[in-house]
Amino acid sequence: MAKPNMKDVARAANVSPMTVSRAFKQSATVSDATRERIMKIAEEMGYVFDSTASNLRSQKTGFIAVIIPTINNANFADTVRAMSEGLRAQDLQILLGYTDYNVQEEERLIEQLLQRRPEAITLTGGKHTPRARRLLLNAGIPVVETWDIPPDPIGHAVGFSNAAAGRLMLEHFISRGYRRIGFIGGDESRDSRGLDRRYGFISALAEHGLDTSRLVASGPPPISMHEGAMSMRELLEKWPDTEAVMCVSDLSAFGALTECQRRGIDVPGQIAIGGFGAYDIAEHCVPALTTIDANAAEIGRQAAKVLLEHRHAMSGKKPFELPRQIIQLTPMLLPRETT
């Protein structure tokens, strides 16, 4: 059986194909009764409206390209979910790609996604290859970098200082009386945001005149519970007198906590542990894990707000370019039982 098309629906409804198109676009020029009749006939025929051609004519494809490092991270999932909910107000959909923390893969995805003519593109972080940056600067669409505040944003930015998040945890440790303090994670080659957390943490250690050598890189991101446990083992073997340790993520912190429990090391009696991300596991593990909440969902909401404002600015009778927006959020410490 041939796939039904717009002309088939128009013929069955005794209207023009243009009227069918307008009905599906919710145009006010089509009466409610006519729209209902067209929709009923389309449903019976199994017709699905193809908006591609009309969207290309209007330069509105109806989707936003979103690039994240991994699909296995609850934080990025929360950001994408909140962004999707915000964009839904104007029937915009997300086309998602992930880089596995690889800037070369990000470059490939940017080129591939731009060929599909998205109305905007959002990325995670502000570190890109030179070619990826050129592609974005020349794309002619809004660009939003998230989860960071780059020193030289390509377009808009919605995020926070990862260095400040690392400093926040270090200051908490200091306030609790800890002085021999370590850090797990922050791979130098791929996870620029984790590296920034480690940098902020180490900088604050140095400012307090404390030892900055207790560092275990953990390996390439995303850091798992297993790697967190292995890194805690390495840290304890090298520096058995360590009093506190920050992990680059809650997953690695949970792994570090379980390694302490395997060894019969009391947390926080013998060593305190802090994480990052405010994952569910941090709240419900025993003891509950001190962490930092970067408000992943708010990043998504604010990114969607910027994109909708830009779309509104460009769709009026006198279109205008929305000024660059830099929205900086503030991470929040959640002190719990592990410190």
Side-chain angles (χ1 to χ4, degrees):
M1 182 182 293
K3 177 182 176 182
N5 58 38
M6 188 181 294
K7 289 182 180 179
D8 296 328
V9 177
R11 192 178 303 111
N14 197 26
V15 297
S16 69
M18 181 61 72
T19 300
V20 174
S21 176
R22 287 172 177 167
F24 274 92
K25 292 179 181 178
Q26 302 296 311
S27 171
T29 61
V30 179
S31 69
D32 290 343
T34 300
R35 180 179 294 107
E36 287 180 17
R37 182 162 54 87
I38 290 171
M39 293 300 181
K40 184 174 184 295
I41 290 170
E43 176 73 20
E44 291 172 350
M45 296 178 68
Y47 170 73
V48 178
F49 179 60
D50 183 356
S51 62
T52 304
S54 59
N55 281 340
L56 290 177
R57 285 195 297 270
S58 68
Q59 302 299 307
K60 291 184 178 181
T61 54
F63 77 87
I64 305 297
V66 176
I67 298 178
I68 58 176
T70 174
I71 57 176
N72 296 329
N73 185 305
N75 279 169
F76 298 133
D78 287 345
T79 296
V80 172
R81 185 183 302 111
M83 194 185 308
S84 178
E85 290 171 354
L87 295 173
R88 199 176 297 157
Q90 289 195 17
D91 292 326
L92 288 166
Q93 301 297 319
I94 283 176
L95 185 61
L96 187 67
Y98 72 97
T99 67
D100 198 25
Y101 293 89
N102 186 321
V103 291
Q104 297 298 331
E105 175 63 10
E106 182 192 63
E107 178 187 307
R108 188 190 72 80
L109 280 171
I110 289 169
E111 182 175 25
Q112 189 176 68
L113 290 168
L114 288 178
Q115 291 174 3
R116 297 177 180 272
R117 303 179 68 174
E119 295 191 32
I121 185 167
T122 76
L123 309 105
T124 306
K127 183 180 179 182
H128 319 287
T129 67
R131 182 169 180 267
R133 187 174 179 87
R134 286 196 303 273
L135 287 170
L136 294 166
L137 285 169
N138 296 325
I141 58 174
V143 176
V144 183
E145 293 164 291
T146 64
W147 275 88
D148 203 357
I149 301 294
D152 183 21
I154 294 169
H156 308 292
V158 180
F160 61 96
S161 168
N162 280 277
R167 178 178 293 272
L168 184 62
M169 184 63 75
L170 186 279
E171 295 297 341
H172 173 63
F173 285 158
I174 294 291
S175 72
R176 301 296 296 165
Y178 305 118
R179 294 297 181 268
R180 295 188 291 273
I181 306 171
F183 190 97
I184 288 174
D187 177 77
E188 295 187 25
S189 62
R190 292 173 69 175
D191 184 8
S192 61
R193 291 168 302 283
L195 184 60
D196 284 346
R197 270 169 241 149
R198 189 173 78 173
Y199 173 77
F201 189 88
I202 294 172
S203 297
L205 269 173
E207 289 171 13
H208 284 278
L210 300 175
D211 177 21
T212 61
S213 67
R214 299 168 189 252
L215 308 173
V216 180
S218 291
I223 306 302
S224 67
M225 298 178 192
H226 172 76
E227 289 164 324
M230 295 302 98
S231 296
M232 177 59 94
R233 179 181 302 173
E234 180 180 342
L235 184 140
L236 291 173
E237 289 172 355
K238 286 185 178 180
W239 302 284
D241 62 341
T242 300
E243 298 173 335
V245 58
M246 179 182 181
C247 299
V248 73
S249 70
D250 284 348
L251 292 183
S252 56
F254 179 78
L257 173 61
T258 58
E259 178 63 20
C260 288
Q261 291 172 337
R262 272 191 291 272
R263 291 170 172 252
I265 296 173
D266 180 57
V267 178
Q270 293 171 263
I271 187 169
I273 299 175
F276 174 89
Y279 287 34
D280 285 346
I281 196 172
E283 182 179 2
H284 297 292
C285 65
V286 180
L289 182 66
T290 292
T291 186
I292 291 174
D293 186 356
N295 206 335
E298 186 62 19
I299 292 172
R301 281 190 286 269
Q302 291 296 328
K305 183 171 179 286
V306 169
L307 294 173
L308 292 181
E309 287 175 358
H310 193 282
R311 199 173 198 244
H312 177 72
M314 296 301 292
S315 63
K317 292 183 179 179
K318 295 182 178 180
F320 64 94
E321 194 75 23
L322 190 71
R324 173 183 285 177
Q325 295 194 51
I326 308 298
I327 301 173
Q328 182 156 353
L329 306 178
T330 303
M332 182 174 64
L333 179 78
L334 302 177
R336 295 184 179 136
E337 297 167 349
T338 55
T339 59

